[in-house]
Amino acid sequence: MTLPEGTPEAIGPIVAPEEVVWSPVAEEPSPVSPVFDELTRQRTKEIIARYPQSRSALLPLLHLVQSVEGHVSQDGIRYCAEALELTTAEVSAVATFYTMYKRTPCGEHLVSVCTNTLCAALGGDAIYARLTEKLGVGHEETAGEPGTPGSITLEHAECLAACDLAPVLQVNYEYFDNQTVETAEAIVDALRAGERPAPTRGAPLTDLKTVELELAGIFPDLERSVEGPSIAPETVRGAQLAADRGWIAPPMPDSPPALPDLPEKKS
């Protein structure tokens, strides 16, 4: 290409621009944030040691990070990546796939309202609508300062596997069955007042960070974490009726029945 002034040689020798050295506005944080203290590092080693392949420890490590920070931050992703010798892209792909890992700071309690088909039809949508109005927040938003006493993160959840007890909600993943708008409101009022109402099923309530530690496989109080009923009468009603009436399933045959003949092919 010829420049308007003539050939390229006519403008003199071509000199590369001087290298520009940028001064960072803020110092880059360490890949391992100081928030992950020595106790967390020791727990990290214990968790990783449980698995033949270290990368298999990623899910519990993300819960461990969440038990410290109240969410999975970018520092938390770097921490897991460094501990497991993974890339931050690999860790981010997992952290953003599962809804239990929160990318913004959560409240002291996580309230999950089931809005899948059966719960929604039986009142779940009405419960969620009332709580959003009452708390002034939407999905995965927090009422109050995250992490402070009485703060609540609200979310609508897909199926919580309790259709026989619909509508249901969970507080820190513990079940509150057969809810109404009024009972759900009362639960939220109690949580905001610093109380911890008893779940219908599951362990006594603690807080979200403690539950995240347990999901990581660390149990500071194992006896407490297995207290409380684990089933509801509605769930085992069929089994109870069978036992009361002497119903039993037929025994398995010694040999499987013959398969039916295949239909003839039409020409």
Side-chain angles (χ1 to χ4, degrees):
M1 177 179 178
T2 303
L3 299 176
E5 296 81 7
T7 62
E9 291 79 4
I11 62 173
I14 298 176
V15 180
E18 293 184 5
E19 183 178 357
V20 177
V21 179
W22 298 97
S23 298
V25 176
E27 186 177 352
E28 180 69 15
S30 168
V32 181
S33 170
V35 72
F36 301 113
D37 58 14
E38 188 55 39
L39 177 59
T40 304
R41 295 168 195 268
Q42 181 59 41
R43 286 171 170 169
T44 298
K45 294 176 183 177
E46 292 174 7
I47 292 170
I48 294 173
R50 298 171 184 168
Y51 298 88
Q53 300 293 329
S54 62
R55 67 182 298 138
S56 300
L58 178 54
L59 296 183
L61 280 194
L62 286 168
H63 283 298
L64 180 65
V65 162
Q66 203 153 250
S67 77
V68 175
E69 297 186 295
H71 71 299
V72 178
S73 69
Q74 199 60 33
D75 272 348
I77 285 176
R78 284 195 290 263
Y79 177 78
C80 292
E82 182 179 274
L84 299 174
E85 297 183 350
L86 299 173
T87 65
T88 53
E90 289 174 301
V91 177
S92 296
V94 173
T96 56
F97 181 83
Y98 294 104
T99 58
M100 289 180 77
Y101 303 123
K102 308 303 183 186
R103 297 310 310 276
T104 55
C106 289
E108 180 185 23
H109 302 291
L110 173 67
V111 174
S112 311
V113 181
C114 184
T115 55
N116 214 330
T117 308
L118 189 55
C119 276
L122 293 177
D125 279 350
I127 290 171
Y128 181 73
R130 177 68 65 86
L131 295 186
T132 58
E133 180 183 4
K134 183 181 188 69
L135 296 172
V137 297
H139 177 59
E140 289 195 342
E141 294 180 349
T142 300
E145 184 67 25
T148 59
S151 56
I152 293 176
T153 297
L154 180 67
E155 67 175 359
H156 64 79
E158 286 303 318
C159 184
L160 295 180
C163 296
D164 49 342
L165 302 163
V168 300
L169 61 83
Q170 290 179 334
V171 178
N172 305 333
Y173 305 118
E174 304 295 352
Y175 281 96
F176 289 80
D177 303 318
N178 296 311
Q179 293 299 298
T180 65
V181 169
E182 291 72 27
T183 59
E185 262 196 297
I187 291 169
V188 166
D189 286 338
L191 294 173
R192 299 178 84 182
E195 302 171 16
R196 293 182 177 178
T200 311
R201 292 176 288 135
L205 286 187
T206 54
D207 58 86
L208 182 60
K209 285 186 175 181
T210 300
V211 170
E212 288 296 328
L213 187 61
E214 293 172 350
L215 289 171
I218 306 294
F219 295 89
D221 187 352
L222 182 58
E223 290 187 7
R224 180 211 56 79
S225 65
V226 296
E227 287 179 0
S230 59
I231 59 173
E234 294 91 335
T235 305
V236 295
R237 179 62 176 156
Q240 188 62 53
L241 277 173
D244 293 343
R245 300 180 183 184
W247 296 342
I248 59 173
M252 289 288 291
D254 294 332
S255 58
L259 295 174
D261 294 331
L262 293 174
E264 294 182 6
K265 292 184 178 179
K266 294 182 180 180
S267 56

